[in-house]
Amino acid sequence: MKPGIESSQENADRRVGLQTLITSGLLLVALAGLFTLSSQVTVFDFGDSGPDARFFPRLVLALLALMAGLRLWRHRHALETPLGSARDWSRTLFAVVLIGVAIAAMNLVGFLASAAVVGILLSWLLGERRLSLSVVLPLVVAALVTLSARQLLNLPLP
């Protein structure tokens, strides 16, 4: 077969995997951020000739878009592993929803309770069944973070 011409079998073997999916998402988010940056960040002009408040976010978003685009271009012919089973994705979705619910409920139940519950449920979800690591450790870490934030850093936590 001539170089540059693909067979139908090679084309059928190509799969979009998790790497391409995540990179495409990063590219879309970076581009959306670039296009909406001027409406999201207010700049007060004091006559300075230097970079304004949009400079560094614009730089970071442009570099992220560039790197994501280059990664997609460079690996466009690579075979990737499939996305995975529905069971694995349901566990991931549960973890994302759990963290979102904990953040939304944090003002109602407090930081300590929401962080401890999330830590306990996520350790169980990830397969930890020892009581000391699945219950005690998240409780201790949540208490230490709460105590440190309030006492050492003087940060008000919900």
Side-chain angles (χ1 to χ4, degrees):
M1 182 177 305
K2 294 180 183 178
I5 298 177
E6 302 171 355
S7 70
S8 61
Q9 180 61 32
E10 288 174 346
N11 204 15
D13 285 342
R14 231 180 254 150
R15 292 180 249 179
V16 174
L18 190 58
Q19 298 89 350
T20 300
L21 188 64
I22 290 173
T23 307
S24 300
L26 280 173
L27 179 63
L28 290 175
V29 167
L31 290 175
L34 279 172
F35 289 121
T36 61
L37 186 63
S38 59
S39 65
Q40 298 295 323
V41 178
T42 305
V43 175
F44 299 104
D45 186 21
F46 297 114
D48 294 336
S49 62
D52 61 1
R54 295 184 193 122
F55 177 75
F56 289 109
R58 185 179 292 126
L59 179 67
V60 169
L61 288 170
L63 287 174
L64 181 63
L66 178 68
M67 291 295 111
L70 287 175
R71 194 252 177 234
L72 286 173
W73 179 259
R74 185 167 184 248
H75 296 281
R76 68 188 181 279
H77 296 298
L79 291 176
E80 296 181 8
T81 56
L83 293 178
S85 68
R87 181 174 180 256
D88 294 337
W89 280 100
S90 65
R91 289 173 54 184
T92 304
L93 181 64
F94 178 73
V96 169
V97 168
L98 175 68
I99 292 170
V101 167
I103 290 171
M106 195 174 290
N107 285 331
L108 181 65
V109 297
F111 176 82
L112 180 63
S114 64
V117 168
V118 165
I120 291 168
L121 290 176
L122 283 180
S123 66
W124 174 79
L125 181 69
L126 295 173
E128 183 57 56
R129 300 294 184 252
R130 290 177 284 187
L131 188 64
S132 62
L133 292 177
S134 64
V135 176
V136 176
L137 184 63
L139 285 172
V140 168
V141 169
L144 284 175
V145 168
T146 302
L147 183 66
S148 299
R150 288 184 179 159
Q151 300 301 322
L152 299 175
L153 301 175
N154 292 326
L155 293 174
L157 292 177

